[in-house]
Amino acid sequence: MSDLSAAFVRLHARLAPVAFVPEVRLHQADEPIGLWELTEGQFRSAQPPPFWAFAWAGGQALARYVTDHPELVTGRRVLDLASGSGLVAIAAARAGATAVRAVEVDERAVAAVALNAEANGVRVDAELGDILDGDAGDAEVVLAGDVFYSEAMARRMLRFLLRAARSGARVLVGDPGRAFLPRERFHELAGYDVPVPEALESVRVKHTTVWELDPAPPGAAR
């Protein structure tokens, strides 16, 4: 991670427990809208919005599920896509994953993942890049929190996740009812009422589901 990105994370986010997964501490923005406006104003760049500074509902639900069901990842290689703060990756590392790879397209998010992993005393390999046109490598479990928020992202993400599942990986996503989740491709594992920043979601709690991807086409014989 670059020193500038790490300094930005430390300056604008405070280390605190995650609301729904208090076992994990993350660098989080106290005032979401202020940081959002800052990155679109004085600190505007080609980087994505500061998704890394908040514990989004999908990630919180998925991290809670992994924490409560460590057998999902214990002794396995894990890939966390669009990792943001690294919450899900850190939960997997804490639950006993052999190796955890967290991929992000935002340099500041990569810095946040590294800082957050260090703060939680776990190892996460934070990687900068867009891998959605490739494959999941040697990952045995693929995790993705809150990634179906736009149509374009959903199409690319689903194709990637299907390739991973058809290669033998278990694929889980956390989703709080985003419009572009293809529910017909998934089956539900758990549901939670997750506290969220009202300034970002317009509500204080979002019902959020942990889903597992079925690699077979909808309606296919089993």
Side-chain angles (χ1 to χ4, degrees):
M1 63 177 165
S2 76
D3 291 341
L4 282 177
S5 292
F8 187 92
V9 171
R10 290 191 180 100
L11 179 62
H12 295 288
R14 177 176 58 88
L15 193 63
V18 175
F20 199 59
V21 196
E23 299 93 332
V24 176
R25 297 188 303 155
L26 299 177
H27 287 83
Q28 303 171 70
D30 287 323
E31 205 289 291
I33 301 304
L35 179 58
W36 212 280
E37 291 175 344
L38 180 67
T39 56
E40 292 180 348
Q42 180 182 356
F43 289 89
R44 179 178 295 172
S45 70
Q47 292 177 320
F51 296 125
W52 55 266
F54 315 105
W56 297 87
Q60 289 196 69
L62 195 50
R64 181 74 269 156
Y65 188 85
V66 169
T67 298
D68 293 343
H69 300 85
E71 67 279 1
L72 171 70
V73 299
T74 300
R76 294 183 170 91
R77 297 179 298 275
V78 175
L79 170 63
D80 179 26
L81 282 171
S83 187
S85 64
L87 169 57
V88 177
I90 291 165
R94 292 184 72 256
T98 300
V100 183
R101 178 187 177 203
V103 179
E104 253 294 343
V105 297
D106 182 353
E107 184 178 333
R108 288 172 183 158
V110 172
V113 172
L115 290 171
N116 290 333
E118 181 181 11
N120 286 275
V122 296
R123 176 173 177 175
V124 171
D125 295 320
E127 176 182 325
L128 179 66
D130 181 342
I131 66 169
L132 291 185
D133 293 329
D135 59 45
D138 65 355
E140 298 167 278
V141 180
V142 177
L143 306 172
D146 225 330
V147 294
F148 291 97
Y149 51 82
S150 76
E151 187 173 5
M153 177 69 162
R155 285 198 302 265
R156 296 188 68 213
M157 183 62 67
L158 181 61
R159 288 195 294 265
F160 180 94
L161 296 178
L162 282 170
R163 287 194 297 273
R166 289 166 181 165
S167 295
R170 289 192 69 182
V171 176
L172 275 66
V173 305
D175 187 87
R178 303 300 185 201
F180 300 102
L181 174 74
R183 289 169 180 78
E184 71 280 2
R185 305 306 301 255
F186 293 86
H187 65 268
E188 181 176 342
L189 296 180
Y192 305 101
D193 290 324
V194 179
V196 293
E198 187 174 10
L200 293 178
E201 299 280 15
S202 301
V203 294
R204 293 183 179 179
V205 174
K206 292 209 74 147
H207 185 76
T208 305
T209 304
V210 175
W211 303 90
E212 182 164 7
L213 180 63
D214 186 342
R222 309 210 183 273

